[in-house]
Amino acid sequence: MDTNKMKAALKAKAAKALFRIPVSDRKFSDFLKSAKNEQMASLLNNMSQPSLYRMQSRLFKDCELVQKTVLYEILRANENTEFGKKHHFSKINGIKGYRKCVPISEWDDYHDDMKALEQGKEDVLFPGKAQYFYETTGTTSVVKLVPESSRDTICRELIGKAKNLEKAVACDLMTEFLSKDMKVFALTSTLSNEYTEGGIPYGSASGRTATIESSDSSDILALPAILPNYYEGDDYNYIVMRVSLVYKNVTVLMGNNAAFMTTVLKYGIDHAEELIEDIRTGSCKLEIPDEVRKVLKNVLVPAPERAAELEELRKKDRFIPKYYWPDMKAASFWLGGSVGVNVETLRPMLSDKVKFMDLGYGSSEAKINITLDTETPAGALLSYTCFYEFLPLDEGEPLMAHEVKEGEDYELLLTTNSGLYRYRIHDIVHIDGFIGTTPMLHFLTKAGDIANLAQEKLYGVKLRSMITEAVSERFTAKYVQVYPDPEQYKYIIYIEPAGEISEKDKEGLSELVDSYMRKTHSEYNIYRDWALKMPEVKIMPKGWEEAVFKEYSKDKANKTQVKVPVCRKTPYVEKEEA
């Protein structure tokens, strides 16, 4: 081990020891007192890495107190805004008063306020102007521009730091993290390249996140964040592989949807010879704008030794990350929801030593949890950045975070630093347990991703799981979608097998799936007796999953964040593949 690495290892060992020192009650009390006058996220943002890690752990122990503090600071910060005055923020004292003065809201309730913010108006929903707008369609086809306030920017910067710390600890990356002797291969979307009427930038969530999080880590990124602004389709696949393959020390693989990453890596396999030759000569087949050439100046140079290594792997049919990035330790993607299944197609390309860690659950409106461990979509609620309420699915009274029950599902309400108050994002979350008194949760499904022809109310993720299990005795299902047909009162089930299957395996699949679902889901069984008809299973050809992804990502700039639902709104027809 060289001197620098030895120093980094010793530093990592010392840091781990510091991380384990608990925060005293007095220090915690002083911190909360300070949070009465200064934003909690700002206080955390100014801490050293070990102090941030330790204080976050302490915050998780008292969720109720933290959440009350956050609500208090949001109300005080926004009491002189138009929204704050209208809803009497200056007079609100406590949760009950807040709920009395502020009703549960939907996006349409903010229509006029959002238009004013887009025009550059100040002090509408939060102090000052919007810093940025997140362009999103969510589960609708209507484009929304979700604002980010200056206070929210602080929260997002903090969450980026906290996520990196947790990943470094959980994936045994502390030495590399502190020495910065590593590269992160992260796929992102376009950065801000358009402006509202008021001159405020807007763009994708992942592009904005890349901008915020790369401010202090740009030297470890294998891919410059500006690349998606200049290239798309196969040109994008080419440039990211051309750039990243130059490095041998890629240690972390990151994206949102693992399906997108798999597509990029498969492009590398199919075009290995061309990529290797360009690395050998330092050339690039694409036009390189001056701005891009400037950030790629150390990559677009001849690298014959690296090219020789890659060529040897190609000849041995080993042109996959497992071999050309042998030091990889972590992969970070969405592991839950309808897209979590896509991780399984990526795993064979990576070494068994690679630990998968969920990217974290969030939306354009807010980052909601932070994962603390590997191989689980569950993460601790980010109690120190937003105020949360949980609506029981039986339409009971909303609960605070510390009041939820393990194993239950809830609809989430957000009160953010960017002017959304008791806002329904139409997400269903599952409570996996607690760390201290803070719930561990993961995104389960969108409220609309549900099969409900006869009040059976089957969430898409549950439906997919049952179908996959039902056919597992015959073959492995690579991909599943379901169209709940309201005219025929039956499920049309589309399955792409992982490999070739025989005609015999296809026989009686509808009956097989129906029988399994009746045994494992009581509501389905009840309604199947009198309302629902026998489901119809359709075996789809190889490549169908990719066709479905293209269908849902069509005309969307931010393809890395596309979430394909399990339950379709319309039946699948082949012409949609085009």
Side-chain angles (χ1 to χ4, degrees):
M1 183 181 293
D2 62 37
T3 303
N4 289 333
K5 286 189 176 181
M6 188 177 296
K7 287 180 179 179
L10 291 173
K11 189 177 180 181
K13 186 176 181 180
K16 287 180 182 179
L18 284 173
F19 287 176
R20 288 193 288 268
I21 300 173
V23 173
S24 67
D25 289 342
R26 181 176 178 179
K27 191 168 185 178
F28 182 61
S29 178
D30 290 344
F31 173 79
L32 291 180
K33 287 179 182 177
S34 297
K36 292 289 186 180
N37 301 308
E38 186 176 352
Q39 185 182 4
M40 188 182 295
S42 181
L43 293 171
L44 291 166
N45 224 358
N46 291 326
M47 290 182 176
S48 66
Q49 291 174 337
S51 295
L52 169 57
Y53 185 91
R54 291 163 55 205
M55 186 58 76
Q56 177 174 259
S57 298
R58 182 61 182 85
L59 291 170
F60 291 151
K61 292 183 178 180
D62 201 335
C63 184
E64 180 180 9
L65 182 56
V66 172
Q67 279 284 272
K68 286 181 177 179
T69 303
V70 169
L71 179 60
Y72 175 88
E73 69 178 33
I74 289 175
L75 293 174
R76 295 293 79 82
N78 299 316
E79 62 185 22
N80 292 320
T81 64
E82 292 180 12
F83 190 95
K85 292 175 181 178
K86 180 179 179 181
H87 293 86
H88 313 292
F89 278 13
S90 63
K91 297 179 181 179
I92 294 175
N93 184 18
I95 308 300
K96 289 184 179 179
Y98 178 56
R99 289 173 175 168
K100 183 178 180 180
C101 291
V102 181
I104 293 173
S105 64
E106 301 273 359
W107 180 255
D108 289 346
D109 296 325
Y110 298 94
H111 180 272
D112 293 342
D113 293 328
M114 292 303 173
K115 289 300 178 184
L117 286 170
E118 289 173 28
Q119 292 166 4
K121 189 174 181 181
E122 298 185 9
D123 303 330
V124 180
L125 295 169
F126 46 79
K129 295 182 179 181
Q131 303 296 298
Y132 186 85
F133 284 94
Y134 293 88
E135 184 179 23
T136 178
T137 55
T139 55
T140 71
S141 58
V142 179
V143 174
K144 300 188 298 185
L145 294 182
V146 180
E148 175 186 300
S149 70
S150 58
R151 288 170 58 84
D152 193 24
T153 302
I154 292 171
C155 290
R156 291 172 188 263
E157 289 174 350
L158 168 63
I159 293 166
K161 292 179 182 178
K163 281 166 52 180
N164 288 337
L165 280 171
E166 294 292 349
K167 192 181 286 101
V169 173
C171 298
D172 194 26
L173 282 165
M174 191 59 70
T175 300
E176 294 88 345
F177 181 69
L178 293 176
S179 68
K180 294 192 175 181
D181 183 23
M182 60 184 289
K183 287 292 180 182
V184 176
F185 178 34
L187 296 182
T188 61
S189 292
T190 54
L191 306 179
S192 167
N193 56 7
E194 296 189 70
Y195 294 84
T196 68
E197 183 181 342
I200 300 170
Y202 69 89
S204 71
S206 66
R208 175 63 169 172
T209 299
T211 303
I212 292 174
E213 294 186 7
S214 67
S215 59
D216 62 350
S217 61
S218 58
D219 51 346
I220 68 171
L221 294 177
L223 302 175
I226 65 171
L227 289 183
N229 275 34
Y230 293 91
Y231 306 102
E232 60 182 3
D234 279 348
D235 285 351
Y236 176 77
N237 295 338
Y238 167 83
I239 196 68
V240 298
M241 293 305 296
R242 166 67 181 85
V243 171
S244 61
L245 283 170
V246 170
Y247 302 104
K248 189 174 182 178
N249 63 333
V250 171
T251 311
V252 180
L253 208 61
M254 289 181 64
N256 290 317
N257 190 334
F260 188 54
M261 178 64 76
T262 302
T263 298
V264 172
L265 296 177
K266 285 183 177 178
Y267 177 93
I269 295 171
D270 294 339
H271 297 81
E273 291 187 61
E274 176 183 41
L275 288 162
I276 293 169
E277 178 61 18
D278 286 350
I279 289 170
R280 186 183 69 81
T281 60
S283 58
C284 177
K285 72 174 185 179
L286 303 178
E287 182 179 344
I288 308 293
D290 290 342
E291 183 182 6
V292 178
R293 187 173 295 278
K294 183 177 179 180
V295 296
L296 296 181
K297 63 181 180 180
N298 295 325
V299 176
L300 298 180
V301 294
E305 290 184 9
R306 179 58 174 160
E309 292 176 353
L310 294 171
E311 177 60 16
E312 190 66 22
L313 294 176
R314 186 192 70 80
K315 289 179 178 178
K316 295 179 179 179
D317 291 328
R318 290 187 169 187
F319 202 75
I320 56 176
K322 180 177 182 178
Y323 301 107
Y324 53 68
W325 291 326
D327 297 328
M328 187 176 292
K329 289 187 176 181
S332 189
F333 298 90
W334 287 322
L335 302 185
S338 61
V339 299
V341 66
N342 297 330
V343 167
E344 299 311 312
T345 63
L346 181 60
R347 285 187 193 272
M349 294 186 173
L350 309 181
S351 167
D352 292 340
K353 71 181 180 182
V354 173
K355 296 179 179 180
F356 277 75
M357 196 163 184
D358 192 85
L359 194 64
Y361 160 45
S363 64
S364 298
E365 292 82 0
K367 303 294 184 182
I368 295 165
N369 80 352
I370 181 169
T371 48
L372 309 178
D373 206 352
T374 58
E375 298 296 344
T376 175
L381 185 73
L382 282 162
S383 57
Y384 49 78
T385 58
C386 294
F387 178 72
Y388 306 89
E389 295 172 89
F390 295 78
L391 285 174
L393 300 186
D394 61 5
E395 300 182 356
E397 290 297 310
L399 304 175
M400 285 184 64
H402 68 284
E403 297 174 321
V404 298
K405 294 182 179 179
E406 182 175 354
E408 295 293 321
D409 301 332
Y410 299 89
E411 183 181 345
L412 197 59
L413 301 180
L414 301 179
T415 294
T416 74
N417 281 282
S418 286
L420 296 173
Y421 301 95
R422 308 195 71 204
Y423 175 68
R424 300 182 87 148
I425 58 173
H426 296 284
D427 281 5
I428 307 298
V429 298
H430 180 79
I431 308 302
D432 297 272
F434 291 83
I435 176 170
T437 59
T438 300
M440 298 285 291
L441 56 82
H442 72 271
F443 169 77
L444 185 63
T445 186
K446 275 292 181 185
D449 192 11
I450 186 171
N452 193 29
L453 293 175
Q455 296 302 309
E456 70 275 22
K457 293 183 179 179
L458 256 171
Y459 292 136
V461 287
K462 177 65 175 176
L463 189 53
R464 181 193 63 209
S465 176
M466 288 195 295
I467 293 167
T468 300
E469 286 293 325
V471 302
S472 62
E473 62 184 67
R474 297 192 186 181
F475 60 87
T476 299
K478 180 184 178 185
Y479 199 69
V480 173
Q481 264 200 318
V482 179
Y483 171 55
D485 190 327
E487 295 184 0
Q488 300 187 70
Y489 267 80
K490 70 177 183 181
Y491 297 164
I492 309 298
I493 300 171
Y494 306 96
I495 305 175
E496 179 186 348
E500 296 295 328
I501 65 172
S502 66
E503 290 300 319
K504 185 176 181 181
D505 284 335
K506 296 179 184 179
E507 294 176 0
L509 280 179
S510 297
E511 291 80 2
L512 179 67
V513 171
D514 181 55
S515 175
Y516 185 87
M517 290 175 61
R518 294 191 70 153
K519 290 177 183 176
T520 55
H521 197 274
S522 58
E523 286 81 3
Y524 175 84
N525 186 50
I526 290 170
Y527 290 106
R528 177 70 179 83
D529 281 332
W530 65 275
L532 295 174
K533 296 178 182 177
M534 173 80 71
E536 180 182 349
V537 174
K538 294 187 176 184
I539 296 298
M540 308 305 288
K542 183 179 179 181
W544 175 71
E545 177 188 3
E546 287 79 5
V548 172
F549 183 80
K550 289 180 181 177
E551 172 192 349
Y552 282 85
S553 61
K554 185 179 180 182
D555 299 327
K556 291 190 177 182
N558 190 3
K559 291 179 172 54
T560 67
Q561 289 193 301
V562 173
K563 297 184 181 78
V564 180
V566 176
C567 297
R568 298 180 59 88
K569 300 297 183 184
T570 59
Y572 181 81
V573 291
E574 280 197 45
K575 67 179 182 180
E576 293 182 62
E577 293 183 29

